[in-house]
Amino acid sequence: VDPESIDALLVDLFLEAHQQAPDHIILDLDATDDILYGNQEGRFYHGYYHDYCYLPLYVFCGEHLLCARLRMSNIDASADSVEELEPVIARIRQRWPMVKIQLRGDAGFCREKLMVWCKSKDIDYILGLAQNPRLKKLIEAQMAQAEKQYEETKTPARVFTEFFYATEKTWSCERRVIAKAEHLDKGANPRFVVTSLSAEQMAAQELYEKGYCARGDCPENRIKEQQLDLFADRTSTGKMWSNQLRLYFSSMAYVLLQTLRRVALAGSELAKAQCGTIRLKLLKIGAQIRVTVRKIWISLAGGYPRAELFSHVLAALETGGTA
């Protein structure tokens, strides 16, 4: 197995999916739990997930998977994110030298090392920022305003504000922070993000609601597709390298189905279907297999309800998606 070649292939397939270079792309970073039930190499207990697990790192751009790295779970969520991003960014910029790149992640990736690296590479970022007493004190007026609106309307109320902020020890400079002062039925719900984008580039509310919250669909739902539909959590061999190989298998299965969805299912009833639905409704077909001396005959069931769609998909793949 050549991990570097597989990693490069994931990025190359993403690049080849575009007929021309986009002006702007958003890369999503995320870590997730891969629960373990044996004594695999690299097995550790994770306090947040309350279980023994791996902590794989994913990088997505929209629906495109660019990196899937299996990691032990006795690390920070952001560990090695710069090292994993560097070859991805270099390969993208080699093909698209003028593309603007933005990085997005939750509070687990709000680390000085990553933000400084982004600045050095001319990459913008929007990252979740864990709340603390200092931050909450800075938005006391906005929280009171949100609570008052909630009491008047009995519906969730949001007030946005922004300010420049630096931690006492870990940040090297002040950075722009967007705060969402929100009051819900269950009470106060303050949230914060830090960004390199200026107010002129994106206003506070738009940045939070459209810029940051979009990560709820990607990468979180894409990771669920891999784990629930394509068996990315079947990491039951004894060694880390062989479990990474299994993660690669799942990743390539995802790339194949995502390509099928993008190239051959556009405009069909399965255009927005998740990988599990595509497997169940399009690819699982009853068939009779006959083996002769020279040939293997596969006779698909005549009662298959999506025969017309299957034929359309086959034609689209043969013509490069122009059917």
Side-chain angles (χ1 to χ4, degrees):
V1 179
D2 182 357
E4 290 185 2
S5 295
I6 298 174
D7 295 340
L9 176 61
L10 289 173
V11 181
D12 288 343
L13 292 172
F14 159 68
L15 295 169
E16 292 168 7
H18 296 76
Q19 294 183 351
Q20 61 184 23
D23 296 327
H24 173 258
I25 61 173
I26 299 174
L27 301 185
D28 281 296
L29 281 169
D30 206 359
T32 190
D33 60 318
D34 177 3
I35 304 299
L36 300 175
Y37 300 98
N39 292 309
Q40 291 94 322
E41 180 183 32
R43 172 182 180 267
F44 285 95
Y45 185 84
H46 196 287
Y48 178 81
Y49 294 111
H50 304 292
D51 217 327
Y52 289 90
C53 63
Y54 288 137
L55 192 70
L57 175 71
Y58 287 90
V59 181
F60 280 88
C61 183
E63 293 189 352
H64 296 273
L65 175 62
L66 278 68
C67 176
R69 179 70 65 237
L70 198 65
R71 306 177 301 173
M72 295 182 292
S73 63
N74 63 335
I75 57 172
D76 185 74
S78 69
D80 298 325
S81 54
V82 169
E83 289 76 8
E84 296 295 345
L85 283 168
E86 278 184 328
V88 172
I89 297 296
R91 205 165 188 88
I92 291 173
R93 283 186 164 160
Q94 183 179 19
R95 183 79 65 88
W96 300 337
M98 302 305 293
V99 68
K100 294 290 185 182
I101 301 175
Q102 183 186 115
L103 199 65
R104 186 168 56 190
D106 62 21
F109 294 91
C110 183
R111 302 292 183 267
E112 176 72 4
K113 179 181 177 179
L114 182 57
M115 291 186 286
V116 169
W117 177 81
C118 284
K119 183 177 181 180
S120 71
K121 299 297 182 181
D122 193 26
I123 297 171
D124 284 314
Y125 55 82
I126 302 176
L127 302 170
L129 176 60
Q131 57 182 269
N132 61 49
R134 281 183 62 206
L135 285 169
K136 289 193 285 187
K137 187 173 182 61
L138 289 170
I139 63 166
E140 285 180 347
Q142 288 78 20
M143 288 303 303
Q145 183 181 349
E147 184 177 6
K148 181 179 178 182
Q149 290 180 12
Y150 172 81
E151 293 298 333
E152 292 173 351
T153 64
K154 298 302 179 182
T155 59
R158 288 180 169 185
V159 177
F160 289 89
T161 188
E162 63 178 86
F163 46 85
F164 282 90
Y165 172 84
T167 61
E168 293 183 351
K169 296 180 180 179
T170 55
W171 289 11
S172 58
C173 63
E174 287 190 336
R175 296 181 170 98
R176 183 186 178 210
V177 169
I178 309 301
K180 179 191 71 170
E182 183 176 51
H183 198 93
L184 307 172
D185 293 341
K186 62 181 181 180
N189 184 43
R191 290 289 185 271
F192 303 88
V193 299
V194 59
T195 183
S196 61
L197 296 172
S198 67
E200 290 73 23
Q201 289 174 290
M202 190 174 289
Q205 183 170 354
E206 181 185 10
L207 187 145
Y208 187 90
E209 294 182 339
K210 296 183 179 179
Y212 180 71
C213 290
R215 65 176 302 279
D217 178 62
C218 180
E220 292 180 3
N221 285 342
R222 305 290 77 78
I223 292 175
K224 288 177 182 177
E225 283 191 274
Q226 267 207 275
Q227 288 196 322
L228 300 179
D229 300 337
L230 300 174
F231 316 111
D233 58 351
R234 301 291 177 87
T235 47
S236 57
T237 68
K239 298 295 184 180
M240 282 283 290
W241 70 265
S242 53
N243 284 323
Q244 174 66 63
L245 179 60
R246 288 188 168 202
L247 182 58
Y248 278 140
F249 287 151
S250 171
S251 298
M252 295 311 300
Y254 172 83
V255 170
L256 287 170
L257 284 181
Q258 191 274 331
T259 302
L260 182 70
R261 183 165 53 196
R262 174 175 53 83
V263 171
L265 291 173
S268 75
E269 61 186 280
L270 298 180
K272 300 296 182 181
Q274 293 190 342
C275 291
T277 303
I278 295 173
R279 289 178 58 237
L280 179 65
K281 294 188 175 182
L282 182 68
L283 303 180
K284 284 192 174 183
I285 308 172
Q288 182 184 65
I289 300 177
R290 292 180 292 120
V291 180
T292 65
V293 175
R294 296 183 178 180
K295 294 182 179 181
I296 297 176
W297 299 86
I298 301 177
S299 302
L300 301 181
Y304 173 55
R306 291 180 174 81
E308 184 177 345
L309 176 60
F310 190 92
S311 298
H312 170 81
V313 168
L314 181 61
L317 292 175
E318 290 175 341
T319 58
T322 59

